[in-house]
Amino acid sequence: PLRYIAKLRELVKHEAEKNKSQWKTMGPAKVAVPSPNDFLQKHSKEPKLEPKKKEQDGKKLLPSSLPPRTYHPVTCTKKNFINKNALAVITGEPKKPQHFCVDTRQGDKYLLEPSGLFPKYIKKKTYGVLPKYVTQRNEEMKKEEEEYQASVLEQLKKKAMKVLSEEERTNILKALKKNWEEINHAYQGLPVLTDTRYKKMHKEELELKLKQLEHDIAAIENHKSVYIAN
């Protein structure tokens, strides 16, 4: 992959060259000297409270959220809290006991629900259901696998060998036998005495052709299915 190049590279280079060693020939930059009256004073860095707001133009300020000291809340109400609490206890659902486990002889116990030993997640509606991202990923993987298998089969079909049909096989066999008969007839017509080098080479050549033809005829006769490579 190509090397990453920042978009603002030229701008940064220009800014760096622009502000590079400005005081090299003109001397150091002239900075205003602080005045002796601006010295650090005592308690100058401590946070200061805002000044108190006064009534402006006859408008009263909003009361603060805290009640004044003279405020006394009303305590007498017409509600019967005893009957209300009793009714709530009668009509309310009973409190369910907490599941806990005791693991020592002294009675030390711990709650089961936060410990992970209590099977509360099996009651969820989505318990045992694969998440959407997992099913989507599985579908994508299956699709990729099918595409790969299809491409492999296509490549194998292109590189596959051709199968000879029965008619072509019989025709080739007949042609080989006819060729063998012709060469055998020529071999039988050779002279008995092979006294020259040409006669010896011609006889050896005919013998090799006959052996090759006999081998090809036997291979085609013994195998019904013949494959030809491209």
Side-chain angles (χ1 to χ4, degrees), residues 6-19:
K7 294 181 179 179
L8 304 177
R9 182 182 179 184
E10 297 297 332
L11 180 62
V12 172
K13 190 185 293 185
H14 175 69
E15 291 292 333
E17 292 177 356
K18 181 180 175 183
N19 301 325

Side-chain angles (χ1 to χ4, degrees), residues 56-67:
Q56 297 177 358
D57 302 333
K59 294 182 180 178
K60 292 185 178 181
L61 296 174
L62 295 174
S64 60
S65 58
L66 296 175

Side-chain angles (χ1 to χ4, degrees), residues 136-195:
Q136 186 177 358
R137 180 60 182 163
N138 291 339
E139 290 176 359
E140 291 177 358
M141 292 175 64
K142 187 177 179 182
K143 188 176 179 182
E144 290 177 359
E145 184 68 22
E146 290 176 355
E147 291 177 356
Y148 174 74
Q149 293 294 340
S151 64
V152 170
L153 289 175
E154 188 176 354
Q155 292 293 331
L156 289 175
K157 285 180 181 179
K158 289 181 180 178
K159 297 179 181 179
M161 294 184 291
K162 182 183 176 182
V163 183
L164 283 178
S165 62
E166 188 65 26
E167 185 179 356
E168 292 176 344
R169 179 174 168 274
T170 53
N171 292 336
I172 292 172
L173 195 59
K174 287 178 182 179
L176 288 173
K177 288 181 178 179
K178 185 179 179 182
N179 195 6
W180 183 87
E181 290 176 358
E182 292 176 357
I183 295 174
N184 188 36
H185 181 71
Y187 182 77
Q188 294 296 332
L190 290 174
V192 178
L193 184 61
T194 54
D195 53 350

Side-chain angles (χ1 to χ4, degrees), residues 2-229:
L2 297 174
R3 186 167 63 87
Y4 172 75
I5 299 175
K7 294 181 179 179
L8 304 177
R9 182 182 179 184
E10 297 297 332
L11 180 62
V12 172
K13 190 185 293 185
H14 175 69
E15 291 292 333
E17 292 177 356
K18 181 180 175 183
N19 301 325
K20 187 176 181 181
S21 304
Q22 292 184 354
W23 52 271
K24 197 167 185 180
T25 57
M26 303 298 293
K30 293 182 180 180
V31 183
V33 181
S35 174
N37 296 328
D38 299 336
F39 58 88
L40 185 64
Q41 297 181 0
K42 191 176 182 181
H43 305 294
S44 61
K45 292 189 177 182
E46 293 181 359
K48 296 180 180 179
L49 297 174
E50 294 182 2
K52 239 181 183 182
K53 292 183 180 180
K54 298 181 180 180
E55 295 182 4
Q56 297 177 358
D57 302 333
K59 294 182 180 178
K60 292 185 178 181
L61 296 174
L62 295 174
S64 60
S65 58
L66 296 175
R69 293 187 178 183
T70 57
Y71 174 76
H72 296 286
V74 181
T75 54
C76 58
T77 58
K78 296 182 179 180
K79 291 183 180 179
N80 192 346
F81 292 100
I82 297 174
N83 295 339
K84 185 180 179 182
N85 295 340
L87 186 62
V89 171
I90 293 168
T91 57
E93 295 182 359
K95 189 177 181 181
K96 294 181 180 180
Q98 289 183 336
H99 299 274
F100 59 87
C101 178
V102 179
D103 57 350
T104 60
R105 301 174 71 181
Q106 285 76 20
D108 297 332
K109 59 184 179 180
Y110 60 90
L111 296 174
L112 285 177
E113 189 170 349
S115 66
L117 301 174
F118 188 71
K120 64 178 180 178
Y121 294 103
I122 60 174
K123 299 178 181 179
K124 296 175 68 175
K125 293 182 180 179
T126 57
Y127 178 76
V129 180
L130 285 175
K132 290 183 179 179
Y133 71 92
V134 176
T135 54
Q136 186 177 358
R137 180 60 182 163
N138 291 339
E139 290 176 359
E140 291 177 358
M141 292 175 64
K142 187 177 179 182
K143 188 176 179 182
E144 290 177 359
E145 184 68 22
E146 290 176 355
E147 291 177 356
Y148 174 74
Q149 293 294 340
S151 64
V152 170
L153 289 175
E154 188 176 354
Q155 292 293 331
L156 289 175
K157 285 180 181 179
K158 289 181 180 178
K159 297 179 181 179
M161 294 184 291
K162 182 183 176 182
V163 183
L164 283 178
S165 62
E166 188 65 26
E167 185 179 356
E168 292 176 344
R169 179 174 168 274
T170 53
N171 292 336
I172 292 172
L173 195 59
K174 287 178 182 179
L176 288 173
K177 288 181 178 179
K178 185 179 179 182
N179 195 6
W180 183 87
E181 290 176 358
E182 292 176 357
I183 295 174
N184 188 36
H185 181 71
Y187 182 77
Q188 294 296 332
L190 290 174
V192 178
L193 184 61
T194 54
D195 53 350
T196 62
R197 183 176 179 83
Y198 172 75
K199 290 180 180 179
K200 289 181 181 179
M201 290 176 61
H202 187 54
K203 184 180 179 181
E204 290 176 357
E205 185 180 355
L206 292 176
E207 286 177 352
L208 287 173
K209 288 182 179 180
L210 287 172
K211 284 182 181 179
Q212 185 63 38
L213 287 170
E214 288 173 0
H215 177 268
D216 295 342
I217 290 168
I220 293 176
E221 286 180 345
N222 294 333
H223 301 88
K224 292 184 179 181
S225 300
V226 181
Y227 295 91
I228 300 176

